[in-house]
Amino acid sequence: MNVGRSDGRTVGPIVLVALLSVCPTVRLSAQTDSRLVEALRLAQSGQVDSGRAIVRRLLASLSPGDSVYPQALLAGAKIAPDAPTVSSNLNRIVVEYGASPWADDALLLLTQLYFAQRDPAQTAQTAERLNRDYPDSPLRPRANFWGGRAYFELKNEARGCELIQQALDGAGDDVEFKNQVNFYAARCGAGPATTTATPSGAPAPPADTGPAAGARAYSVQVLAVKSAAQVDDMLTQLKVMGFDARVVRDSTGLFKVRVGRYATREEAARTQQRLKTRVGGQPFVVEEP
């Protein structure tokens, strides 16, 4: 089953699964009800229908006033078969259970869903709501990352830079996330981003922020095909995971999807391993001029 994008195209189910797997390990993977833990375990092991059945039965048996109900809605969103169901579950949590400990989780997932659907206005609005309604949430840096990128697409560089800086300030010890944010901070012309030459999963930075002119640079190639549709699906999947991929077209007409631009082969190899674990396939390091 495919899920609709805001531009009328579709996002395949693998992209939807990827979307809901990039959540920070703060609470999103910490369902506390044993039945929901089992449902998610089944889904993650490939028994998605069984996991969904557990959630459906639980929602049918619970009173909407039960404290487990919003948690069950969140679990249902994580393994839903389509984007409308994901959106419906998450919005119910935000609207009906705004005081629950799962409301900020729902808002973060909504920012990622809207970004994957190429709806920057909704992405930015949702990130702003998380900031406004849950100022102490540990998920704000992640939402600000997506919100900042959405503002860049909306040509609001000033607000985009503000959210990216807030994401950077809250990145903590998460090196991969910090590198992703650093790439976007570089376009704002200030802050630590100007000293980071190897953003994780980012396209080639401007000449004055990347490897020195004439120096070797390394990227990770994920895909090489002639199908624009395959390229589009892969780009969406990578972006949802936080890797800012780009496409290189060679003289034979192949579209090559590549991630990153690194000063050393070792740095590229680390991203290669992350991509192999999270995306699969046979990504490999390539040298670029």
Side-chain angles (χ1 to χ4, degrees):
M1 182 179 297
N2 289 328
V3 250
R5 281 187 185 149
S6 59
D7 61 1
R9 288 179 288 167
T10 58
V11 176
I14 186 172
V15 176
L16 186 63
V17 171
L19 166 67
L20 298 181
S21 71
V22 296
C23 315
T25 55
V26 179
R27 275 203 316 270
L28 292 181
S29 60
Q31 307 287 159
T32 58
D33 187 274
S34 60
R35 295 162 293 186
L36 297 174
V37 171
E38 176 63 10
L40 293 177
R41 186 194 67 78
L42 288 170
Q44 290 164 356
S45 67
Q47 302 178 64
V48 182
D49 288 341
S50 297
R52 290 171 183 158
I54 291 176
V55 175
R56 282 197 303 270
R57 288 196 298 269
L58 187 57
L59 286 170
S61 66
L62 289 172
S63 161
D66 194 301
S67 62
V68 177
Y69 203 91
Q71 186 183 163
L73 288 172
L74 185 68
K78 291 180 182 180
I79 57 178
D82 52 58
T85 304
V86 176
S87 179
S88 174
N89 279 21
L90 296 178
N91 276 296
R92 281 196 64 188
I93 297 170
V94 173
V95 173
E96 299 174 30
Y97 302 95
S100 78
W102 309 100
D104 55 340
D105 301 67
L107 281 169
L108 174 59
L109 285 176
L110 280 169
T111 65
Q112 296 168 327
L113 176 64
Y114 294 142
F115 192 88
Q117 292 178 316
R118 299 181 180 177
D119 190 340
Q122 281 274 48
T123 303
Q125 181 180 351
T126 306
E128 296 285 16
R129 181 169 184 176
L130 198 159
N131 278 310
R132 182 185 68 248
D133 294 352
Y134 305 94
D136 298 323
S137 171
L139 307 183
R140 285 182 59 206
R142 300 281 176 157
N144 285 334
F145 173 66
W146 297 103
R149 292 177 63 182
Y151 273 118
F152 290 149
E153 292 192 13
L154 294 168
K155 309 303 181 185
N156 187 341
E157 295 283 324
R159 185 54 179 161
C161 286
E162 289 176 359
L163 291 190
I164 289 296
Q165 185 60 52
Q166 290 175 29
L168 190 60
D169 292 342
D173 297 327
D174 189 334
V175 176
E176 181 176 345
F177 178 57
K178 186 177 293 185
N179 283 341
Q180 291 168 7
V181 179
N182 261 328
F183 171 74
Y184 289 93
R187 72 188 288 170
C188 300
T194 58
T195 63
T196 300
T198 58
S200 171
D208 60 346
T209 61
R216 293 180 177 178
Y218 301 90
S219 300
V220 182
Q221 186 160 305
V222 182
L223 189 70
V225 293
K226 290 190 175 181
S227 166
Q230 283 182 272
V231 168
D232 185 65
D233 283 347
M234 179 57 72
L235 283 174
T236 302
Q237 182 180 355
L238 290 169
K239 286 180 179 180
V240 163
M241 287 182 166
F243 295 103
D244 290 282
R246 68 189 187 281
V247 178
V248 177
R249 191 170 187 179
D250 67 16
S251 58
T252 68
L254 281 177
F255 294 99
K256 298 179 178 180
V257 178
R258 292 179 179 174
V259 168
R261 188 172 176 84
Y262 305 94
T264 68
R265 183 176 290 274
E266 289 72 21
E267 291 168 310
R270 287 195 287 271
T271 294
Q272 176 194 14
Q273 289 303 312
R274 289 195 295 272
L275 285 164
K276 188 170 184 178
T277 299
R278 299 175 67 180
V279 182
Q282 297 294 326
F284 60 91
V285 174
V286 296
E287 185 175 333
E288 296 191 285

